[in-house]
Amino acid sequence: MSTQTLPATELPIIGATDSTPNVVDGLAFAKLYGEPLFKLPNDLYIPPDALEIFLEAFEGPLDLLLYLIRKQNFNILDIPMAQVTLQYLQYVDQIRQHNLELAAEYLLMAAMLIEIKSRMLVPSNKAQEGEEADDPRAALVRRLLEYEQMKLAAYELNAVPQLGRDFLHAQVFIEQNTILHWPEVRIVDLQQAWADVLGRAKLVAHHKISREELSVREHMSSILRRLQSSKFVEFTDLFDPSRGTPVLVVNFVALLELAKETLIEITQAEAFAPIYVRLAYAPV
């Protein structure tokens, strides 16, 4: 985008003469090293190009021409070439005085406008023969419409929120402690495992009638001692089928009591996988 400027030497400088008051409406002229400046130095020298007036900023000749047309609500399909050309030349004459290199591309458009204006004044051969003459402004109008569409599209794209300009990615760091959750064992799987243990016990069962006192507490202590030496013990390894069904029943009841008192955990890696038993606390 090019911005045209004019020197401000033609503007009166406030406080430049002795007759001008040093303070305007009780306000300082400027700040020098953070301190307010209420009086201009007598030996102050302001070079001619120190202050400049900024004119309208345009991105090129087409942008300036479109601005002149839209500002005065001209019909872009029926451009009054005389008025637009005159206003365009006035602007080009201003920038020629200060930036000749920048004015070159604007002069090319000025020449095109003058050519179109001249062609509109001269009757064409088709008009003399009764045919509809070509409009000399047609090519220029097409370029202006295409440029305006691209400019509007650029505005719409610029209005879209952009990362780094309109918003930033939020970054949040959360410290988390990983807690291992073992899958719960279903009652059906535990029943099936117990049925397998009973089935193995029947294979080695002997018909022997005897009286034996069995203690659930003793079996609970025995299971805890067994688990202290191993991290995981398979469910079936806690039962000895050779000791008979009564011992297996008491041992199973002891296992359930330990699980009820949350002294052990019964788990399995996935569905239909082997069932394992482990201590629910860390042994001392």
Side-chain angles (χ1 to χ4, degrees):
M1 178 180 293
S2 60
T3 303
Q4 310 305 324
T5 59
L6 288 177
T9 54
E10 300 176 1
L11 297 178
I13 301 176
I14 299 177
T17 62
D18 295 337
S19 60
T20 306
N22 292 329
V23 181
V24 179
D25 296 333
L27 301 177
F29 290 112
K31 283 188 177 182
L32 181 62
Y33 299 108
E35 297 295 331
L37 184 65
F38 295 99
K39 183 178 180 181
L40 294 176
N42 296 328
D43 58 347
L44 178 63
Y45 171 72
I46 301 179
D49 57 348
L51 301 176
E52 295 179 335
I53 299 175
F54 288 87
L55 301 178
E56 293 288 346
F58 302 103
E59 298 180 354
L62 282 177
D63 198 21
L64 171 59
L65 189 58
L66 185 63
Y67 168 78
L68 295 175
I69 294 173
R70 294 306 187 190
K71 182 181 179 181
Q72 301 176 81
N73 295 323
F74 290 149
N75 185 1
I76 196 171
L77 300 178
D78 188 16
I79 304 174
M81 297 304 302
Q83 299 182 42
V84 173
T85 303
L86 178 61
Q87 296 173 9
Y88 188 92
L89 290 176
Q90 290 176 354
Y91 180 86
V92 173
D93 186 58
Q94 292 177 0
I95 63 176
R96 284 178 58 190
Q97 300 176 15
H98 309 286
N99 194 337
L100 186 60
E101 180 180 356
L102 181 62
E105 55 178 335
Y106 288 86
L107 287 173
L108 180 61
M109 176 61 71
M112 182 183 301
L113 294 176
I114 295 174
E115 179 188 2
I116 295 175
K117 179 182 176 183
S118 302
R119 290 172 58 189
M120 293 181 64
L121 296 175
V122 178
S124 62
N125 295 330
K126 290 185 177 180
Q128 295 176 358
E129 296 175 358
E131 299 179 5
E132 184 178 355
D134 295 333
D135 192 343
R137 302 168 295 181
L140 179 62
V141 170
R142 184 177 65 254
R143 291 179 57 187
L144 285 172
L145 292 175
E146 292 176 353
Y147 175 78
E148 187 175 31
Q149 291 178 355
M150 296 301 296
K151 189 173 182 179
L152 292 176
Y155 284 147
E156 293 178 358
L157 286 176
N158 189 57
V160 176
Q162 298 182 13
L163 176 64
R165 186 193 69 177
D166 303 309
F167 66 94
L168 297 173
H169 280 313
Q171 297 182 354
V172 179
F173 298 95
I174 302 176
E175 296 184 0
Q176 294 182 344
N177 296 326
T178 303
I179 301 176
L180 185 60
H181 293 280
W182 297 97
E184 296 182 359
V185 179
R186 298 183 305 170
I187 299 298
V188 176
D189 296 335
L190 192 60
Q191 291 176 348
Q192 182 63 41
W194 170 241
D196 293 340
V197 172
L198 290 180
R200 292 169 54 191
K202 291 180 180 179
L203 296 177
V204 294
H206 299 281
H207 184 69
K208 183 178 179 181
I209 300 175
S210 62
R211 182 178 179 181
E212 182 178 3
E213 294 183 358
L214 301 175
S215 173
V216 175
R217 287 293 176 183
E218 290 181 1
H219 282 266
M220 291 173 62
S221 301
S222 175
I223 293 174
L224 291 177
R225 287 194 299 269
R226 174 72 180 278
L227 294 178
Q228 286 180 354
S229 61
S230 302
K231 188 175 182 180
F232 287 95
V233 176
E234 191 172 351
F235 177 81
T236 55
D237 292 343
L238 294 175
F239 300 91
D240 186 5
S242 62
R243 299 184 62 182
T245 303
V247 176
L248 295 179
V249 172
V250 174
N251 201 40
F252 182 65
V253 172
L255 187 70
L256 295 179
E257 285 292 333
L258 291 173
K260 179 181 178 181
E261 297 179 7
T262 65
L263 295 176
I264 63 172
E265 291 181 354
I266 304 175
T267 183
Q268 61 182 160
E270 57 184 1
F272 306 108
I275 297 176
Y276 290 90
V277 182
R278 70 166 188 170
L279 291 177
Y281 60 92
V284 180

